[in-house]
Amino acid sequence: MNAGAWSRWCHWAEEAWNRHIRHREPYRQLDLVRAELKARTAWMDELTEEDLAELLRGLTACVEAVGATDSDAERQDGTP
């Protein structure tokens, strides 16, 4: 390997290391967020099909109630 190639390789290695160091903390934080999210939603893996159907029915009713409340408030303000 000649001196120019060695110099280019060292420069490339240094840049790669600097990128690794610069992005290490955000990746570590991202891994922590992923682990927390997985821990918070682990209970969903244990739900049966019936439980999921009931959950969706309740969620649909909740969303519809919120929508109805918004439209009632708009009518009271005089906006269509």
Side-chain angles (χ1 to χ4, degrees), residues 2 4 6 11-13 21 24 30 33 37 41 43 49-51 65 70 72 76:
N2 64 24
W6 177 255
H11 184 347
W12 175 85
I21 295 298
R24 183 178 0 184
L30 182 60
V33 169
L37 180 62
T41 59
W43 61 274
E49 291 295 321
E50 294 83 22
D51 293 336
D70 283 346
D72 290 343
Q76 289 176 357

Side-chain angles (χ1 to χ4, degrees), residues 53-74:
E54 183 179 343
L55 183 68
L56 286 175
R57 282 192 300 274
L59 183 60
T60 301
C62 182
V63 168
E64 289 172 355
V66 169
T69 302
D70 283 346
S71 63
D72 290 343
E74 287 177 358

Side-chain angles (χ1 to χ4, degrees), residues 14-32 34:
E14 183 180 356
E15 286 182 355
W17 177 254
N18 288 338
R19 278 193 306 272
H20 168 71
I21 295 298
R22 184 173 54 246
H23 298 293
R24 183 178 0 184
E25 187 59 29
Y27 281 123
R28 188 176 294 139
Q29 291 174 357
L30 182 60
D31 288 342
L32 289 174
R34 286 179 180 154

